[in-house]
Amino acid sequence: WSEGARRLYGYTAEEAMGRVLMDLVTPEENREAALRHRPTVLAGLTLEYEPDTCDKHGRVFPVYARIRPVPPSDGIGPNMYVAVAVDISARREAEAAIRRHGEGQEEIASLGRLALRGGSLEGLFDQAVGMASRVLSSDCADLVEWCPDAPGFIIRTAVGWSDERIHQRIAGEERLALSYMVRSREPVIVEDWEQERRFERSSELLARGVRSSVAVLVGDVDSPFGVLAAHYEHPGAVPPDCLPFLDALANVLADAIRSRDVQEQIRHDSLHDGLTGLPNRTLFLDRVGHALARNNRHPQLLAVFFIDLDHFKLVNDSLGHEAGDELLRLVGPRFESAIRPSDTLARLGGDEFAVLCEQLPSEVSATRIANQLTSALEEPIVLNGRDHVVSASIGIALGTPESSAADLLRDADAAMYNAKQAGRGRYELFDKEMLARVLTRVRTESALRTALADEEEIYVAYQPLVSLRSGEVVGAEALARWRHPDRGAISPMEFIPVAEDSGLIHELGAQVMRRAARESTAWQDDPDFAGIAVNVSVRQLVQPDELATLVREVIAAEGIPPGFLTLEITESVLIEQLDDARDALESLNDLGVRLSLDDFGTGFSSLSYLADLPFDNVKIDLSLIRNIVDRPQAAVLVAAIIDTVQALGKQVIAEGVETLEQATRLQELGCDIAQGYYFAKPMAPDMLTALIQDQPSWLPPSKRSPVTARRRQRPARTNRVTQL
């Protein structure tokens, strides 16, 4: 027992003498294998092999062993042997490292190929953990996912553990190694859990008998996915070169997770609206299609709701697109609160939303949901620090065995347009006549775009404004008219709402104003003709500087005085955007143009804004004029309006006058000006010129002022009798 043997095995010569060599240096589990070499030695042959041995302290290590018999000639005696052992731990470890490196490279390449083929993440996780355990010769291994919201971890996959461990949740306790890794963002090697002081061993590792471990983060350092770990039942068993291999596995998994996340994000973005996060048209139609398929197997009532916000373009025009986007983001949760969790709310684009409801007990249930959707908008929405009242028009289409997803959405759209035409802020159930009307509207919008592009089909007709004091034409209202090459004359009642809804009203309004100003130059020299009135959409009014810029251009181009131009704004629509329109009205007033409030008395009228806003004229709506002769109450109301408006220093114009009796009654009430079919229908410019020159006697001579009678005898007019 040499000094080298003492250093190798830890026993002194005195401790080794007299003991069985196999019992002294061969681990018990290896003795049976060692005995298989005994016949070779007993046969007098030299034995060379590399067994695992153990030292005095129980450390197991490999040696190169050479055992040869001692020849009898040496004088020592028979059955004597010389055994020489050399510690080959370093060589073995180097070989193991080379083997691990080669196997690791093959395993990483295999995992990478699987990831590139688009394998499932669960499959990749299983492969990676199996590779880690196999290449690093660990007793068990696992991959845990970090759940920061919980907080804690979920075991995604494991080897060397019971099946119950998979999907088990681990609390994110601060003193555990997993939590330490997430905080430190560093890999961890524990040589002996019994000696570890940085953190505690979990109860699961303790129960499994784990004595040493190695773990690395998976994913970005700033937002890790989780932890990949290998564990051993013996202390000091972690291979010293294991981190590069584990890091490579973790990187492959991280790339696969990022790729999955990107693909899911792309898929999500392709199926969801970027502004509100709601399903988009594609996903909505897909869900409707699946719902119809289920409905065919188990018939129950199914409904699609098409929702369109009323006057949404006014918000964009007056407050800007950022405010419009904010409005869309805010109404989404309102609508979601009005439907069931199982229903689908989608944004189709612009200000259009849709809802899919399945398993409705009756048609009444569908209308109840529509009422809930409209009620969800009753509370004002705050935009730019101000309250805005929003309403929506809703169309409902009920599914049938013959329905397709596209058909249902189209039919609900048709019903929605019918709801808008019926007054907005309401719902309508689809019927087949609606579809025909919607198709007509679509054709009208397309044709109107074409007409506006070449400026040939759109023209202006003029309806005279007649003084009820002199009986003479003192102005005219310019009205947009459209003559389609195939369909002929198209009613303004048909194309003006289409222009408003589609936004074409901006271009249409500009064309009408320019043409009216150009054609009105023929009447500027007449001293009694005060000017022309042009209708203005509130969409134009609330668009910053749009009207002011247009008016400046028109006045400069045609050389007309600003006071010759009157802009008419409809009262009912103006009041909905009063705060946004106020500045525009002041700017227009500063330019010198005249302002007229149209359709006064239709239910929105308020004397407070009539006094505050810079209107020169107020037009009494024809609905009040219609009954002025037959109903005393109507005459009393009109008289009150006339007295109030004139007391505020403004002129009163009555529209829709159709009979001499109505004109006479208005004259008696002191109304300033009237227009309507009794005097003349809208006409071409040359016809208005002839009418101004002819000046028909619309009013009886007794009703005309003496000044007017005398002036009719003189061909020349030297002063302006009536101002618009």
Side-chain angles (χ1 to χ4, degrees), residues 65-223:
R66 185 173 184 273
I67 303 175
R68 67 176 179 82
V70 178
S73 60
D74 288 348
I76 298 177
N79 302 321
M80 303 296 286
Y81 303 88
V82 175
V84 178
V86 178
D87 187 348
I88 59 171
S89 297
R91 193 197 80 194
R92 278 279 184 91
E93 182 55 41
E95 291 172 349
I98 293 172
R99 174 187 56 78
R100 284 194 300 271
H101 180 73
E103 291 179 359
Q105 292 299 310
E106 291 180 7
E107 298 283 20
I108 291 167
S110 174
L111 189 66
R113 287 191 294 270
L114 183 61
L116 288 175
R117 287 198 299 268
S120 70
L121 282 183
E122 293 301 327
L124 286 173
F125 293 163
D126 291 343
Q127 289 283 345
V129 172
M131 291 173 181
S133 180
R134 185 166 56 253
V135 173
L136 301 182
S137 302
S138 69
D139 295 300
C140 55
D142 49 48
L143 174 68
V144 298
E145 180 181 359
W146 180 42
C147 303
D149 296 333
F153 301 85
I154 295 178
I155 299 173
R156 296 296 296 270
T157 188
V159 296
W161 296 87
S162 64
D163 292 340
E164 291 78 10
R165 183 166 172 78
I166 299 177
H167 303 309
Q168 181 181 344
R169 181 173 288 276
I170 303 173
E173 298 179 19
E174 292 291 321
R175 62 183 182 275
L176 294 181
L178 291 172
S179 299
Y180 173 86
M181 287 191 66
V182 170
R183 292 195 307 273
S184 68
R185 304 297 201 263
E186 296 291 339
V188 164
I189 295 177
V190 177
E191 294 291 352
D192 188 352
W193 279 104
E194 300 289 349
Q195 306 300 321
E196 181 58 52
R197 296 294 179 266
R198 292 171 296 175
F199 31 74
E200 293 183 5
R201 179 171 34 172
S202 69
S203 58
E204 292 82 2
L205 293 178
L206 181 62
R208 180 66 175 76
V210 171
R211 289 290 302 275
S212 55
S213 301
V214 57
V216 296
L217 284 175
V218 177
D220 297 330
V221 173
D222 294 334
S223 57

Side-chain angles (χ1 to χ4, degrees), residues 62 142 221 275 288 327 329 337 349 455 464 478 524 531 553 566 614 682 706 718:
D142 49 48
V221 173
L275 180 65
V288 174
L327 173 60
R329 282 190 288 264
S337 69
E455 299 189 17
Q524 290 185 47
E553 292 176 356
T566 298
T718 58

Side-chain angles (χ1 to χ4, degrees), residues 223-252:
S223 57
F225 170 81
V227 175
L228 174 64
H231 309 284
Y232 300 84
E233 296 175 356
H234 300 286
V238 176
D241 62 340
C242 64
L243 283 179
F245 170 67
L246 277 181
D247 280 335
L249 284 182
N251 288 336
V252 173

Side-chain angles (χ1 to χ4, degrees), residues 149 168 246 263 267 327 420 466-467 480 485 556:
D149 296 333
Q168 181 181 344
L246 277 181
Q263 291 172 1
R267 183 177 182 275
L327 173 60
K420 278 193 178 295
V466 179
S467 169

Side-chain angles (χ1 to χ4, degrees), residues 333-397:
R334 297 273 191 103
F335 289 145
E336 284 184 318
S337 69
I339 60 178
R340 304 167 301 177
S342 59
D343 299 332
T344 296
L345 171 66
R347 181 186 173 217
L348 305 180
D351 60 336
E352 296 174 344
F353 294 81
V355 173
L356 165 65
C357 294
E358 299 182 69
Q359 299 180 347
L360 295 175
S362 66
E363 183 178 305
V364 174
S365 301
T367 60
R368 185 180 299 116
I369 291 173
N371 278 320
Q372 292 169 187
L373 290 167
T374 55
S375 298
L377 300 178
E378 288 180 350
E379 287 293 322
I381 291 178
V382 179
L383 297 174
N384 293 349
R386 290 194 292 190
D387 288 348
H388 289 262
V389 177
V390 181
S391 64
S393 299
I394 302 175
I396 310 171

